[in-house]
Amino acid sequence: MEEEIVARREKGGFWVGLAAAVFYPLTGIARRVYVGDEKVPRQGPALLVLNHISHLDPVVDAVFVHRAKRVPRFLGKESLTRVPVFGKVFVGSGQIPVSRGSAAAGDSLKAAHQALQEGKIVVIYPEGTITKDPAGWPKESFTGAARLAIQNDVPVIPIARWGTSQLFNGYTKKFTPFPRKTITHSVGDPLDLSAFRGGNTRSASKLREVTKVMMDEVTRLLGEIRHEEPPTAKPGEPT
């Protein structure tokens, strides 16, 4: 009986189904490799923390989470809600708009907190935008993900993804489907952040430290995918 419950797909409704019908064929143009995907909880809340290298990331990451029988909730730019057709899918499928640089910016985190409290999967890119590092390594990150991570006692799972920027380069706008690319997701073990969850969870220094712990593990996983040694300093940091 327990195995049947774990295997049951989380219901997403019409808009999630529509997104899946569009996204699955799109991601089918590349080979998919999933390493450790069994670590994504099949039920209950979790915060998935990923690097960001291409505008295609949300599409392939949504399919990745959906194949784990879960419905992903992404934090995305509020402007996406105004894109014809896609905006309706974004809102209808329960995604979380972020109003950057405005008084409403904090509301997105409140919505993400609420989603976690309701047992949902929340996907976040701490870098905020795709990395500007020419080599594709993670850049300096914002602390919103750290706030979610230590103010909610939920699994925080680091994930590295590689291959999407070879398919679509967000800065040159070059789409290169051939030769066929491979997109790899590597899932790490849930991070032990228990030491950070006590005391002042809004401390700037604590949030920066938690951000470093999360992104260091994402970067390590990325290095394993690429078979390369990550740089000792992130883009923008002094070497």
Side-chain angles (χ1 to χ4, degrees):
M1 178 65 71
E2 183 177 353
E3 291 181 356
E4 292 178 359
I5 294 175
V6 171
R8 188 179 303 144
R9 177 177 294 281
E10 179 183 356
K11 294 181 179 180
F14 170 78
W15 291 109
V16 171
L18 177 61
V22 174
F23 289 175
Y24 271 72
L26 284 176
T27 60
I29 63 177
R31 287 183 291 267
R32 290 185 293 253
V33 175
Y34 296 159
V35 180
D37 53 313
E38 73 280 355
K39 298 174 185 176
V40 177
R42 270 31 180 190
Q43 55 185 339
L47 179 66
L48 307 187
V49 180
L50 293 92
N51 60 315
H52 201 4
I53 54 177
S54 170
H55 297 299
L56 285 180
D57 291 344
V59 173
V60 301
D61 296 341
V63 170
F64 168 76
V65 176
H66 195 259
R67 287 173 69 90
K69 302 185 185 301
R70 300 302 306 271
V71 175
R73 269 73 180 182
F74 287 83
L75 278 78
K77 296 178 182 178
E78 187 273 337
S79 58
L80 292 174
T81 64
R82 298 190 294 275
V83 176
V85 183
F86 182 82
K88 289 187 176 181
V89 176
F90 184 89
V91 174
S93 60
Q95 307 313 304
I96 303 168
V98 179
S99 302
R100 292 176 183 166
S102 72
D107 291 341
S108 62
L109 282 185
K110 291 179 183 177
H113 283 296
Q114 183 65 30
L116 290 171
Q117 291 165 11
E118 292 175 353
K120 310 299 184 183
I121 290 275
V122 172
V123 182
I124 190 167
Y125 305 123
E127 298 166 86
T129 58
I130 60 176
T131 180
K132 293 179 173 61
D133 178 37
W137 295 103
K139 68 180 182 67
E140 276 292 271
S141 299
F142 297 100
T143 59
R147 186 173 298 180
L148 288 173
I150 63 175
Q151 292 180 0
N152 295 277
D153 189 10
V154 303
V156 177
I157 302 174
I159 303 175
R161 175 236 318 97
W162 186 244
T164 47
S165 58
Q166 284 75 35
L167 185 60
F168 180 73
N169 187 303
Y171 292 103
T172 65
K173 308 303 181 185
K174 187 176 181 180
F175 180 62
T176 313
F178 303 108
R180 196 179 187 207
K181 307 299 187 291
T182 297
I183 298 174
T184 302
H185 286 77
S186 180
V187 185
D189 294 325
L191 297 171
D192 182 4
L193 300 177
S194 56
F196 298 101
R197 288 194 170 112
N200 181 9
T201 57
R202 294 180 179 272
S203 163
S205 60
K206 179 183 287 189
L207 292 173
R208 285 194 297 270
E209 188 174 357
V210 173
T211 301
K212 184 177 187 304
V213 169
M214 295 190 299
M215 293 308 295
D216 280 356
E217 182 60 11
V218 170
T219 303
R220 185 190 70 78
L221 292 166
L222 182 58
E224 288 185 349
I225 296 174
R226 297 174 57 171
H227 304 290
E228 298 177 35
E229 190 67 28
T232 55
K234 293 181 175 60
E237 285 185 330
T239 56

